[in-house]
């Protein structure tokens, strides 16, 4: 007998994600190496790796060190206090756990968005639907509403007041508003981090994207203390590795790095926009960590780019859209510019004439 | 409204664990520093930290790298193949997840043992009992039986054939045998890793204890492929950090380090036994990574050791027992010997004459 999940194992499937450089290399063996991976929304300029004390590797993480990380996260994100913070080994771990901690419910997800939200709520047996906007979500009667803010991939931002009203509505019906702020660091003005004393509100923050350390696997839930306690016990002790605690505690406290990085990302996104639009791609949205563009032959553009060793994010169900992460340097941006020019001249771009 | 777990939030409590050096320093501020932490069963001689490629920190872990880790674990542990292996961010993460993936059930845990097993099954709402042996576990009619093998803290080992018969019995009633082999690396002769094609068997392996890298947070489930697939999807993508994948893939393939380490641990455990018995403590069991001893005034012995900057593991419900991990060097062993001698001479040892 196989393990039983709370739902049909048939929903188990691999979602499409960015970052699959190995698969791309295998599919385009003749592409020039090194590849340029623009398929993720991860900052290409990581927080400088500090020396990691050996004890961070060898010893179980101490409660005090984890507490210091929670404190640093609360200060960085603007949450009321460390007791509102739960560290997890990646936001994905939180996305896996949340549906297990909420009674079976109707779940409305504003989408299209990051596919793992719907996959994980469905996997846990919740009646899950995709809705186009917050009005539809609240009107559906769902007990749980999930909003990625800013949204991935289109960058749509919902304002703080709008979301707080939604949280109040959901709270009155005994429900939850889950706000995934994975890309909020680039411009935190609409963050709900300061509002998580609201008992119907759960805010998710990702460390790896803005700090360029996706391999570290670190994310946070910000929540009212009673919910944070339950989440901490569900995820369990020593959930975050010692090196991640040491490194992130430093990075989250470094406001000047974050301020400079926000400016650098914004400027680089403008340069990328210029390159993409000159290449015949129409800007549809994004955040400073990634840009969403459309093209009538987007699939062919992506394949032609892959043939030139440049990996971008496609969307199986939206074949005219592509998402581009930031090139890491001028050479990469130039290689993208040359590639897009060559692709346009060979006809892929003719749909936009 | 707080998040609802599937059970009463009243069961949420902090279990006592080893490794709390910060708390010990606070409780005994006058103790000599550095402390000697003997409160865990973690190998004090870690696998040498290799250089970690920067991409392991910056990029999302690649599917191929995770596959190579699964392969290395299958080879090292003797599992039938990589498809039988699920990597997780610490065995604790598996202990948190398993109770969520099994229908509500009677759960019998051979104990006393590592307390998180019972805590996590209870937290997920299973009817959980502690039983003294395998006969009682099977006789209880429980659908799930949990065995830590070798057991922590007493080192009791159940033989492979005995456990396979139990798995067969549980399989016939649609149940599960969970074997936590956290300390099996020191002498793998009774491991069930090769037997996990049995559909009622789940084997847990810890990386950090034997390799001395508890801060890394890495553990594995070995299971039949159908169960492994479900576990992988429940725990989710990118569950293990890139640095852990890189490091553990090397360490697990290094058979000669493991062989030498087994000999070193066994010799050091003999030296520790000698020190403990000369200090008036009676050996009750253990593995080469930790020794269990008894003393009529064990609590006072532990407090007197703490006053001398030596932290050992106590058991709130078994006040005559203490667990000692291995001292890292001769100086630490000497400090322990001197401390135990001084404690015995001041009267704590008088109960043993």
């Amino acid at each position: 007998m196989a393990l039983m999940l709370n739902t049909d194992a048939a929903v188990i499937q691999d979602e499409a994600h960015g970052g699959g450089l190995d698969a791309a290399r295998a599919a385009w063996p003749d592409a020039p190496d090194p590849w340029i991976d623009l398929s993720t929304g991860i900052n290409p300029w990581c927080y400088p790796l500090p020396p990691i004390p050996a004890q961070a590797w060898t010893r179980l993480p101490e409660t005090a060190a984890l507490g210091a990380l929670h404190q640093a996260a609360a200060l960085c994100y603007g949450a009321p206090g460390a007791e509102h913070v739960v560290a997890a080994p990646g936001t994905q771990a939180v996305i896996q756990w949340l549906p297990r901690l909420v009674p079976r419910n109707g779940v409305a997800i504003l989408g299209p968005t990051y596919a793992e939200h719907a996959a994980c709520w469905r996997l846990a047996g919740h009646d899950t639907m995709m809705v186009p906007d917050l009005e539809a979500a609240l009107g559906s009667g769902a007990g749980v509403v999930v909003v990625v803010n800013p949204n991935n991939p289109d960058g749509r931002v919902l304002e703080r007041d709008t979301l707080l009203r939604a949280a109040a509505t959901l709270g009155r019906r005994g429900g939850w508003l889950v706000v995934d702020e994975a890309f909020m660091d680039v411009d935190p003005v609409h963050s709900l981090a300061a509002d998580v004393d609201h008992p119907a509100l759960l805010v998710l923050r990702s460390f790896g994207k803005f700090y360029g350390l996706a391999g570290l696997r670190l994310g946070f839930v910000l929540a009212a203390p009673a919910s944070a306690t339950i989440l901490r016990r569900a995820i369990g002790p020593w959930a975050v590795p010692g090196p991640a605690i040491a490194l992130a505690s430093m990075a989250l406290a470094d406001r000047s790095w974050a301020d400079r990085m926000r400016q650098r990302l914004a400027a680089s996104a403008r340069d990328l926009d210029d390159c993409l639009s000159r290449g015949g791609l129409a800007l549809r949205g994004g955040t400073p960590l990634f840009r969403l563009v459309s093209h009538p032959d987007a699939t062919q553009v992506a394949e032609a780019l892959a043939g030139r060793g440049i990996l971008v994010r496609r969307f199986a169900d939206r074949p005219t859209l592509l998402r581009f992460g930031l090139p890491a340097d001028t050479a990469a941006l130039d290689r993208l510019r040359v590639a897009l020019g060559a692709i346009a001249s060979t006809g892929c771009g003719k749909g936009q004439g």
Side-chain angles (χ1 to χ4, degrees), chain A residues 167-214:
Chain A
T169 302
L170 287 161
R172 280 192 295 274
R173 64 173 79 147
W176 295 90
L177 178 65
V178 179
V179 183
D180 180 353
E181 298 188 347
F183 292 99
M184 185 60 87
D185 304 68
V186 293
D187 182 14
V189 63
H190 293 296
S191 173
L192 296 185
D195 305 298
V196 292
D197 264 323
H198 194 300
L201 186 59
L202 296 170
V203 172
L204 278 47
R205 299 291 295 234
S206 292
F207 178 80
K209 295 176 177 73
F210 180 67
Y211 290 90
L213 294 166

Side-chain angles (χ1 to χ4, degrees), chain A residues 4-13 15 92 95-96 99-100 104 116-128:
Chain A
M4 289 176 62
L5 284 172
N6 290 333
T7 186
D8 191 335
V11 301
I12 296 184
Q13 55 186 20
E15 299 293 332
Q92 182 66 37
I95 293 172
Q96 304 282 146
R100 307 284 172 173
R104 291 288 173 86
E116 286 285 339
H117 285 290
C120 289
W121 287 97
R122 286 199 180 107
L123 195 67
H126 299 271
D127 183 15
T128 304

